[in-house]
Structures are given as structure tokens and as C-alpha cells.
Amino acid sequence: MRRTLWRGYGVLAALGAAVGLAAPQAAPPARQPAPQAWTWEQVKDRLELNNPTLLADKLSIDESRAQEITAFLRPNPTLGLSVDGTQITPDKGIWRPFAGTYETPSISFLQERQHKRQLRLESAKKGTLIAESSHADMERTLLFNLRSAFVAALQAKAVLQLAKDNLVYYDKVLDISRDRFQAGDIAQIDLDRLELQRVQYESDLQAAEENLENAKIQLLTLLNSRIPIDQVDVIGPFDFDDQLMPREEFRKIALDTRPDLKAAVVAVDKAQTDHKLAIANGSTDPTWSAWFTHNSSNNNPFGLNTLGVSVSVPFRIFDRNQGEKLRTQLDITRNQRLREATEAGVLSDVDSGYATVESDLILLRPYKAKYLKLAVRVRDTITFSYQHGGASLLDFLNAQAEYRTVELSYVNLVGSYLTAAAQLNQAVGREVIQ
């Protein structure tokens, strides 16, 4: 029956070809777009453009600038209108309701003394500087988190490539071992042990793929990106720089650059300005008034239109601003102590980050100069010896495990160094170690 159906299909195909009809063909599979390879500079630019936390905090700078406008506003003049002298009931048979009515429009203005407006503006501007430094400090922290995620992705890629290379190398060994088994050179139990050992390499590969995916997820979360994970890749040097500047150089750069320290310094200046403003607010401000009166009641029978001027000054029996003066004076001392604490924290961060980078370099130097080459030589030598009957299966498996351990330790050490370098950059306040 199946053969008859195939013959019928062949006849139909021949007839279709004879009349010029093409046989239906399956549509080619859609090609997946190539992953977007992001460098560190591209990732950093995306953070500044897309991170919602950073964008929301940036608005606080604009809000602070808006407060500068409010701080420099002048008091508005006050307009008034009073009407009096209107007769509302007849008296002795005479009722002239508007004959004695007089109108008095007036204007008054509060004059601020002791440079209150200028001091308010100065305080608001220093508040803006603090907001800018605080925003830069938030960006510094987010850049460290982003750099850590970027390094984690590079490290996961390096581990994944190492797992693939180890699996390819081991499969070649397995192929040779199967040929040796067919030739009767090794026992079945030895081949089975080699086959079982492949599970470890498969597990390493699967774990490396999972770690790379998690690193990309963290990176995309910081960038607020909805790009599919498989369409994202990161590229960049995954190595270490053997040279390191002296610790004092990093300290000097940190004291000049750290935005939180700058904010602490400006906070002291702002507290001093606020104290000056508190003293100025304790001064009396006169209120000037002027008015015009029509049909006024005075001793001049011809004074139908008159002008009056007055000034009122608060009589300061009690200083109602003494508490604010004391508070702002204490606030100066408090901010000075906070600045000292911030400076101590900056130097502590630099020393801690420097020690971590230096420790990683001490471990990495012998790996690159000696241990990596030694691990390759031991693995290749033991493998050659095992394939020719000069080494036992246990020696071969141990050599493979040692090589995998050394290579993986080196990759993890490079990742630790790059993370420590990012931490030192964060402590300094800018990227000193690329």
C-alpha cells in the first residue's frame, strides 16, 4: 500500500513538471539576527540614557534650580482700597449719602534688609551643587554595579569557552580511547570510566551557559532594556594590567574627585550661608505705604485730593529668631564633622580597594608566568603517555582535573581582579584602571 502511494505521488509530480507546475517547497527557516555586541562604553552610555533610577534622580537637580527662582523672589506689593463717610440714614430731614464719602486707594511694600534675597539665592545655589554631587554619587554607585555585571558577563563567557574547549579536547581523547578499545589495547572498565567522566564536562558547560544568561539578565535590568537575552553579547578585554600606580596617587585622585566628598564640602559652605541668613532674618524690615484720598476730611477745606505716606517698623522687644541662629550655628559644626567622616570613608575605600587589587595581582602573576603553561604541559604529557600505555587511567584523570582546576581558577582570578578594579574606580570616583 505504501509503495502504491509513493508511485502515485511520483506520477503526480511528473505530471506537474510536464505542465510547468513546480512542486511545493518548504519555506526556509527564518534567520536569527546576530547578537548585539556591546562594549563597556556602549553599555555605560545606555545606563545614562535608560536607567529609570538615574533619570528620576536627575530631575532633583532641576527641582533644586527651580527653588533658586523661588528663593530670589521679591515680596509683592499690597494694594488696598478703603471707602468711608457714606451717609446711610437721613438726619434732620437731610439725606445726602455720597456728599461726604471719601475713597482712599493705597499701596504698601515690604523692604527686605541685610541682603536676605541674596543670601537665600546663595543658599539655594549651594543646594543645587549638593544635588548635582549627590546625583554624581548615585551614578558612581550604579556604574560600579553595571561594571560588576559587565565583568560577570565577560567572566561567564570565558568560563563557557573554557568548558567548550575542555569538552572538545576530552571528546578527542574519547575517540582515541574507543579505537584503542576496539584494538584490545584498553579494558571495557577503563572505557566506561572515561565515558562517565564526560558527565563532569557536560555539567561544566551547562553551568557556564546558565551563569552567562544570569549575568546578561542583571545587565539588561540595570539598562532597563527589553532586548531578548540571546540577542545580547558583551565584548571587551578579559585580562589584567600588571602595573599599578602607588596608593598615594589613588588617594589624591579620590580627594579631588569623589562626589560625596564634594557634597560634604559644599554642605559646610551652605550651613555657613544659612547661618548668615538666620542672622539677617532677625533684622527688622520696614513696610512702606502710600495712599491717595479723594474728598478727605481734614483741616484744609480745599484739600479734596490728598496724598499720605507712612512707614511701619516692627518693635523688636523679643528676638524671635534666636533659636534659628543657634540651630544654624550648630549645623555648621555638624556638617564639618560629617565632612571629616566622609573624607575618612573615602580614604578607607581607596585603601581597601587597593589592597584587594594588589592581592589579586600577586596571585595572577605566577599563574600567567608559570602555572598555566605548566598545567598544559602536564596534561598533554600525561595524555600522550596514557595513550601509549605509559601512564595509568588514574594519572590521566588526575591530570585532566588539575588542568581544569588551574584554568578555571585563572579565569575566576581575572574576573575577581576586574571586579576589584571596578571597586577601586568606584572608591576613587572615576575610571583610573580600565
mmCIF file of all heavy atoms in Angstrom, residues 137-157:
data_model
loop_
_atom_site.group_PDB
_atom_site.id
_atom_site.type_symbol
_atom_site.label_atom_id
_atom_site.label_comp_id
_atom_site.label_asym_id
_atom_site.label_seq_id
_atom_site.Cartn_x
_atom_site.Cartn_y
_atom_site.Cartn_z
ATOM 1 N N ASP A 137 27.147 60.972 42.705
ATOM 2 C CA ASP A 137 27.478 59.863 43.605
ATOM 3 C C ASP A 137 26.590 58.660 43.333
ATOM 4 O O ASP A 137 27.047 57.511 43.371
ATOM 5 C CB ASP A 137 27.337 60.319 45.051
ATOM 6 C CG ASP A 137 27.950 59.339 46.028
ATOM 7 O OD1 ASP A 137 29.152 59.034 45.898
ATOM 8 O OD2 ASP A 137 27.222 58.862 46.927
ATOM 9 N N MET A 138 25.304 58.912 43.040
ATOM 10 C CA MET A 138 24.420 57.798 42.670
ATOM 11 C C MET A 138 24.882 57.156 41.364
ATOM 12 O O MET A 138 24.888 55.925 41.237
ATOM 13 C CB MET A 138 22.974 58.280 42.541
ATOM 14 C CG MET A 138 22.036 57.230 41.970
ATOM 15 S SD MET A 138 20.332 57.783 41.820
ATOM 16 C CE MET A 138 19.821 57.689 43.545
ATOM 17 N N GLU A 139 25.266 57.979 40.411
ATOM 18 C CA GLU A 139 25.768 57.445 39.146
ATOM 19 C C GLU A 139 27.038 56.627 39.366
ATOM 20 O O GLU A 139 27.243 55.598 38.714
ATOM 21 C CB GLU A 139 26.030 58.589 38.176
ATOM 22 C CG GLU A 139 26.452 58.125 36.775
ATOM 23 C CD GLU A 139 26.604 59.282 35.816
ATOM 24 O OE1 GLU A 139 26.460 60.443 36.248
ATOM 25 O OE2 GLU A 139 26.875 59.033 34.629
ATOM 26 N N ARG A 140 27.886 57.078 40.286
ATOM 27 C CA ARG A 140 29.104 56.329 40.614
ATOM 28 C C ARG A 140 28.765 54.935 41.139
ATOM 29 O O ARG A 140 29.371 53.931 40.726
ATOM 30 C CB ARG A 140 29.898 57.117 41.665
ATOM 31 C CG ARG A 140 31.159 56.439 42.174
ATOM 32 C CD ARG A 140 31.838 57.324 43.199
ATOM 33 N NE ARG A 140 31.058 57.442 44.407
ATOM 34 C CZ ARG A 140 31.222 56.671 45.485
ATOM 35 N NH1 ARG A 140 32.139 55.726 45.486
ATOM 36 N NH2 ARG A 140 30.480 56.851 46.551
ATOM 37 N N THR A 141 27.779 54.839 42.012
ATOM 38 C CA THR A 141 27.378 53.537 42.556
ATOM 39 C C THR A 141 26.754 52.655 41.474
ATOM 40 O O THR A 141 27.054 51.455 41.387
ATOM 41 C CB THR A 141 26.385 53.742 43.712
ATOM 42 O OG1 THR A 141 26.987 54.560 44.712
ATOM 43 C CG2 THR A 141 25.999 52.411 44.321
ATOM 44 N N LEU A 142 25.895 53.238 40.646
ATOM 45 C CA LEU A 142 25.267 52.459 39.582
ATOM 46 C C LEU A 142 26.291 51.987 38.551
ATOM 47 O O LEU A 142 26.169 50.879 38.005
ATOM 48 C CB LEU A 142 24.171 53.281 38.901
ATOM 49 C CG LEU A 142 22.882 53.475 39.697
ATOM 50 C CD1 LEU A 142 21.936 54.414 38.960
ATOM 51 C CD2 LEU A 142 22.208 52.139 39.967
ATOM 52 N N LEU A 143 27.297 52.825 38.281
ATOM 53 C CA LEU A 143 28.344 52.407 37.352
ATOM 54 C C LEU A 143 29.129 51.233 37.898
ATOM 55 O O LEU A 143 29.546 50.349 37.141
ATOM 56 C CB LEU A 143 29.282 53.580 37.053
ATOM 57 C CG LEU A 143 28.789 54.597 36.021
ATOM 58 C CD1 LEU A 143 29.772 55.755 35.907
ATOM 59 C CD2 LEU A 143 28.582 53.938 34.667
ATOM 60 N N PHE A 144 29.352 51.217 39.206
ATOM 61 C CA PHE A 144 30.038 50.071 39.796
ATOM 62 C C PHE A 144 29.190 48.805 39.646
ATOM 63 O O PHE A 144 29.703 47.734 39.288
ATOM 64 C CB PHE A 144 30.334 50.330 41.272
ATOM 65 C CG PHE A 144 30.784 49.102 42.017
ATOM 66 C CD1 PHE A 144 32.035 48.553 41.784
ATOM 67 C CD2 PHE A 144 29.947 48.478 42.931
ATOM 68 C CE1 PHE A 144 32.445 47.417 42.465
ATOM 69 C CE2 PHE A 144 30.348 47.353 43.614
ATOM 70 C CZ PHE A 144 31.602 46.811 43.378
ATOM 71 N N ASN A 145 27.887 48.917 39.924
ATOM 72 C CA ASN A 145 27.011 47.751 39.749
ATOM 73 C C ASN A 145 26.982 47.296 38.290
ATOM 74 O O ASN A 145 26.985 46.093 37.999
ATOM 75 C CB ASN A 145 25.600 48.093 40.213
ATOM 76 C CG ASN A 145 25.537 48.388 41.695
ATOM 77 O OD1 ASN A 145 26.377 47.918 42.470
ATOM 78 N ND2 ASN A 145 24.561 49.172 42.119
ATOM 79 N N LEU A 146 26.960 48.275 37.377
ATOM 80 C CA LEU A 146 26.955 47.934 35.958
ATOM 81 C C LEU A 146 28.274 47.296 35.542
ATOM 82 O O LEU A 146 28.287 46.319 34.790
ATOM 83 C CB LEU A 146 26.695 49.191 35.130
ATOM 84 C CG LEU A 146 26.575 48.999 33.619
ATOM 85 C CD1 LEU A 146 25.302 48.236 33.283
ATOM 86 C CD2 LEU A 146 26.579 50.343 32.898
ATOM 87 N N ARG A 147 29.365 47.850 36.026
ATOM 88 C CA ARG A 147 30.682 47.287 35.700
ATOM 89 C C ARG A 147 30.814 45.868 36.244
ATOM 90 O O ARG A 147 31.385 44.984 35.571
ATOM 91 C CB ARG A 147 31.776 48.183 36.288
ATOM 92 C CG ARG A 147 33.196 47.743 35.934
ATOM 93 C CD ARG A 147 33.496 47.961 34.467
ATOM 94 N NE ARG A 147 34.884 47.659 34.154
ATOM 95 C CZ ARG A 147 35.423 47.758 32.951
ATOM 96 N NH1 ARG A 147 34.682 48.161 31.936
ATOM 97 N NH2 ARG A 147 36.683 47.462 32.745
ATOM 98 N N SER A 148 30.288 45.633 37.437
ATOM 99 C CA SER A 148 30.338 44.281 38.014
ATOM 100 C C SER A 148 29.532 43.302 37.161
ATOM 101 O O SER A 148 29.964 42.167 36.924
ATOM 102 C CB SER A 148 29.804 44.312 39.450
ATOM 103 O OG SER A 148 30.598 45.142 40.265
ATOM 104 N N ALA A 149 28.351 43.751 36.700
ATOM 105 C CA ALA A 149 27.546 42.884 35.841
ATOM 106 C C ALA A 149 28.238 42.651 34.505
ATOM 107 O O ALA A 149 28.191 41.541 33.946
ATOM 108 C CB ALA A 149 26.163 43.500 35.626
ATOM 109 N N PHE A 150 28.871 43.678 33.962
ATOM 110 C CA PHE A 150 29.593 43.547 32.694
ATOM 111 C C PHE A 150 30.763 42.578 32.842
ATOM 112 O O PHE A 150 30.983 41.702 31.986
ATOM 113 C CB PHE A 150 30.093 44.924 32.259
ATOM 114 C CG PHE A 150 30.733 44.950 30.896
ATOM 115 C CD1 PHE A 150 29.964 44.987 29.749
ATOM 116 C CD2 PHE A 150 32.116 44.945 30.757
ATOM 117 C CE1 PHE A 150 30.550 45.018 28.487
ATOM 118 C CE2 PHE A 150 32.711 44.970 29.506
ATOM 119 C CZ PHE A 150 31.928 45.013 28.368
ATOM 120 N N VAL A 151 31.505 42.704 33.933
ATOM 121 C CA VAL A 151 32.625 41.789 34.192
ATOM 122 C C VAL A 151 32.114 40.365 34.398
ATOM 123 O O VAL A 151 32.720 39.394 33.926
ATOM 124 C CB VAL A 151 33.433 42.268 35.410
ATOM 125 C CG1 VAL A 151 34.427 41.203 35.859
ATOM 126 C CG2 VAL A 151 34.173 43.560 35.081
ATOM 127 N N ALA A 152 30.980 40.245 35.098
ATOM 128 C CA ALA A 152 30.407 38.909 35.311
ATOM 129 C C ALA A 152 30.036 38.258 33.982
ATOM 130 O O ALA A 152 30.223 37.038 33.801
ATOM 131 C CB ALA A 152 29.187 39.002 36.217
ATOM 132 N N ALA A 153 29.523 39.052 33.042
ATOM 133 C CA ALA A 153 29.193 38.513 31.724
ATOM 134 C C ALA A 153 30.459 38.091 30.967
ATOM 135 O O ALA A 153 30.500 37.029 30.341
ATOM 136 C CB ALA A 153 28.399 39.534 30.919
ATOM 137 N N LEU A 154 31.504 38.928 31.016
ATOM 138 C CA LEU A 154 32.773 38.557 30.370
ATOM 139 C C LEU A 154 33.364 37.302 31.003
ATOM 140 O O LEU A 154 33.880 36.417 30.299
ATOM 141 C CB LEU A 154 33.766 39.713 30.480
ATOM 142 C CG LEU A 154 33.496 40.969 29.645
ATOM 143 C CD1 LEU A 154 34.551 42.022 29.934
ATOM 144 C CD2 LEU A 154 33.473 40.638 28.156
ATOM 145 N N GLN A 155 33.296 37.234 32.326
ATOM 146 C CA GLN A 155 33.823 36.060 33.017
ATOM 147 C C GLN A 155 33.027 34.804 32.663
ATOM 148 O O GLN A 155 33.606 33.735 32.431
ATOM 149 C CB GLN A 155 33.792 36.294 34.520
ATOM 150 C CG GLN A 155 34.353 35.145 35.350
ATOM 151 C CD GLN A 155 34.344 35.453 36.830
ATOM 152 O OE1 GLN A 155 34.057 36.580 37.243
ATOM 153 N NE2 GLN A 155 34.654 34.473 37.646
ATOM 154 N N ALA A 156 31.705 34.945 32.597
ATOM 155 C CA ALA A 156 30.880 33.791 32.232
ATOM 156 C C ALA A 156 31.178 33.338 30.804
ATOM 157 O O ALA A 156 31.183 32.134 30.504
ATOM 158 C CB ALA A 156 29.402 34.145 32.384
ATOM 159 N N LYS A 157 31.434 34.305 29.899
ATOM 160 C CA LYS A 157 31.815 33.941 28.530
ATOM 161 C C LYS A 157 33.136 33.188 28.509
ATOM 162 O O LYS A 157 33.295 32.190 27.783
ATOM 163 C CB LYS A 157 31.929 35.202 27.673
ATOM 164 C CG LYS A 157 30.613 35.765 27.186
ATOM 165 C CD LYS A 157 30.835 36.927 26.227
ATOM 166 C CE LYS A 157 31.590 36.488 24.990
ATOM 167 N NZ LYS A 157 31.766 37.593 24.017
#
